Amino acid sequence: MPPLHRPGRPAGTGLRPLAHTAAVLAAALALLSPLGATGPASAASQATPGADAAVRINTQAGLGRLSDVARGVNAAIWDSHMNDPEVATLMKAADVGAMRYPGGSYADIYHWEKHTAPGGYVAPGTGFDAFMGTVRATGAQPILIANYGSGTPAEAAGWVRYANVTRNYGAKYWEIGNEIYGNGHYGSGWEHDEHEDKSPREYARQVRAYASAMKAVDPTIKVGAVLTTPGHWPDGVVGAGDAGDWNHTVLSQVTDVIDFVSVHWYAGGSDTTAQDAMNRLARLPGELREVRNQIDRYAGAGSPRIGIALTEINTNTGGARLTARPNGLFAADAFMTALENGVFNVDWWNTHNGAGRITTVDGETDYGDMGMLSSGACTGDVCEPAPNTPFHPYYGMKMTSELGTAGDTMVAAASSAQDVSAHAVHRRDGRLSVLLINKNPDAARTVDLEYAGFTPSAAAPEVSRYARGDSDITEVTGGEASASRVTVPPYAMLTVTLTPQPGTGPGASAAGTPGTPKLEAVTDTTARLSWEGAQGAARYLVQERDGAHTRLVGESTGTSVTLRNLPPGSTHPVNVLAADASGRLSAPSTPLAFTTGTPSDAACAVTYHRDTSWGNGFVATITVRNLSDTPITGWTVGWDWPTDRQSVSSGWNATFHQTGRHVRVTAPESAGPLAPDGASTASFGFVGTNDGPNPDPTAFRLNGTVCSTG
């Protein structure tokens, strides 16, 4: 019979538990509004009296455009209901653009031509052509996983030939294996891998071979490599005989032949509740940013062409609290959080999965099923509803389709309340849609809406709701929402869609949207950006985003600008907007985030070396040199951690003190002076902890002076 939990991985393995975190987004900075902006120039940092929260939406702070494969689901060959007609109908209604096949870990035992998976169960009617029938009926695209574990590059190339030459399916996205880091190389093994060498070095070599063979058949396909998610096992772990961990080893060898990377995100093990998962979702932006940092490091100028796909996501891997209402809230929040943070595709695990542990959540039976739709399976004498009955996560995903479709622009939205999440999309027709998620199970939340760059018309907004008592996304009329205030029922989602006041917004500007900015050069204090020009533009504004606030950092009548006086080792997310001759602003470009370096001619140099890591801890050594022409006695070294979940727990050869993210290290009393011209060094080490990604610090200071790093 088909597996009742995620196939190929024991429940609760492969992902380390994450600590509870609370993210409070507060609007604390005043908006420095550029000439021609519409809407209020500033917003209160707290809700006005009578409201529980304030949500600020800034349409001038673009977060990227929704792709045609933004919303996706996984499909598995052991699922006998995979190709039921109801599946295509439901997924089309939710604007699903991608369907991933043949099913997680099963991909590494699946032989497409024979439609066999030795050692696993294959349900009737789940072959590739039948799957493609569902994909086409949905109006989606396939994401196909080539068999790495027991396959060959030639077998994968044959699949490409059959799909895109013989059958003309136009299958664009192809992954090389699934979770190959779980092949036992790091001790825990759930992923089938018959290669004698199971190291990341061998996987990278094989990725090159697979990509070469597959693109020889169809050069237009996009090939993806498997990475671990920063902060999740085995991130940071260096295997026996390896020079580095999985991600750094793989990326150092494949960035010239891949088009995207595939990562997975599960909030925790079998005891993780959906409420825990919603809190832990605050980690995801930082983890995705570290994926991009790693790609940047090895791909350099070619980094922007390499996308990030989040090809599996759910609250946990243990089959508990998965079909209930809070997991529907999580689904909506997770899809949008990932898409807003640089991911072009998010795929829910799974379409159908099977009943697991039976519990009661929010007064309803939770079937412990990781699927979006019921499989009709039973645990003991408790059976799920009829096959293809949607569970709450389906409606969470469907609610995100109320926000917008492919080509619409995600924009910054920030909430002042921990239990209210907010997401916003500025549509191509000028309308603005705002999704509000009330994660409080006991109380409604009244939310004040504040805007920058958008002026709502006097027309009543369109409102879609999914709350207790609703059997589907429900259109709401009446006094539940206005352009300035919305009441969200407990444990519910609302999408509010507003029309702009005539003559306002990007539609009123004669200027088109500029191209995505490119980083041409960067130093410790400057960055040169360029972009494709926009028709009708009289000048361009470069704006930096801080939450849902923006500030003007550069202006040009041409298509490039040099930003100056930037702090060394600092990260800057920016958009470019075009202004027409009357000063009216276009929509924002797709964003770019860049990080400044450290001075090459500094009076000191610091080397930071991570000696070993084990997922949530590490040992590092720092070496300091004095490059000035005078000796230094009584030195102090300081740095800031890139995340607030990194810390020093103990150290040696120095005295350590940490406040917030800042670390100050002072020389021991017995330390001699640091000789001039680099003639001597000071070294100290420490044991660190990280709850999540563990990026290296970007800048170090010796007695207050910024040092070069290497």
Side-chain angles (χ1 to χ4, degrees), residues 305-361:
R305 70 169 185 81
I306 300 177
I308 303 172
L310 187 56
T311 53
E312 290 185 22
I313 192 168
N314 208 313
T315 49
N316 67 66
T317 59
R321 308 172 184 90
L322 292 160
T323 66
R325 182 172 302 278
N327 210 26
L329 307 183
F330 168 84
D333 213 2
F335 268 88
M336 292 312 303
T337 298
L339 293 167
E340 291 163 352
N341 284 278
V343 168
F344 72 89
N345 160 256
V346 184
D347 303 318
W348 188 262
W349 184 273
N350 197 5
T351 301
H352 307 92
N353 211 69
R357 179 152 57 105
I358 307 299
T359 57
T360 299
V361 179

Side-chain angles (χ1 to χ4, degrees), residues 364-626:
E364 299 177 312
T365 300
D366 187 290
Y367 297 96
D369 190 326
M370 299 180 78
M372 281 197 159
L373 308 179
S374 171
S375 64
C378 304
T379 295
D381 59 357
V382 178
C383 295
E384 295 182 350
N388 299 310
T389 300
F391 293 131
H392 290 291
Y394 168 79
Y395 294 114
M397 178 180 69
K398 186 178 181 182
M399 181 60 90
T400 69
S401 70
E402 298 287 314
L403 273 174
T405 57
D408 291 341
T409 299
M410 297 171 286
V411 295
S415 170
S416 65
Q418 179 181 347
D419 58 4
V420 176
S421 291
H423 306 277
V425 170
H426 203 184
R427 297 176 181 244
R428 287 165 292 171
D429 62 10
R431 293 180 299 158
L432 175 67
S433 293
V434 182
L435 169 62
L436 301 171
I437 303 170
N438 180 6
K439 296 175 281 190
N440 189 307
D442 302 315
R445 286 289 179 255
T446 300
V447 181
D448 282 339
L449 300 177
E450 305 164 348
Y451 309 93
F454 181 83
T455 304
S457 73
E462 300 174 11
V463 181
S464 300
R465 183 191 68 204
Y466 188 67
R468 291 172 177 140
D470 293 332
S471 59
D472 201 340
I473 307 297
T474 302
E475 300 304 314
V476 179
T477 58
E480 206 161 318
S482 70
S484 59
R485 179 167 286 191
V486 178
T487 299
V488 189
Y491 256 18
M493 299 176 277
L494 283 184
T495 295
V496 180
T497 299
L498 307 119
T499 56
Q501 180 177 307
T504 66
S509 176
T513 304
T516 305
K518 298 178 182 178
L519 182 64
E520 300 289 351
V522 64
T523 69
D524 56 322
T525 60
T526 67
R528 181 171 178 79
L529 309 178
S530 67
W531 55 87
E532 291 185 8
Q535 187 174 5
R539 60 193 176 97
Y540 297 93
L541 307 178
V542 180
Q543 296 198 115
E544 181 171 352
R545 177 174 56 85
D546 182 358
H549 289 75
T550 52
R551 63 188 184 95
L552 184 65
V553 293
E555 187 174 353
S556 175
T557 56
T559 56
S560 64
V561 71
T562 298
L563 307 181
R564 304 184 186 279
N565 300 317
L566 305 173
S570 58
T571 298
H572 304 270
V574 296
N575 298 98
V576 179
L577 297 93
D580 67 12
S582 299
R584 294 169 299 193
L585 295 180
S586 71
S589 71
T590 299
L592 167 74
F594 66 88
T595 301
T596 56
T598 54
S600 58
D601 57 351
C604 53
V606 169
T607 300
Y608 177 90
H609 184 264
R610 201 183 309 171
D611 305 323
T612 186
S613 300
W614 52 91
N616 60 353
F618 61 102
V619 175
T621 298
I622 292 178
T623 302
V624 184
R625 287 186 297 150
N626 169 24

Side-chain angles (χ1 to χ4, degrees), residues 17-29:
L18 314 180
H20 172 84
T21 30
V24 179
L25 297 174
L29 300 175

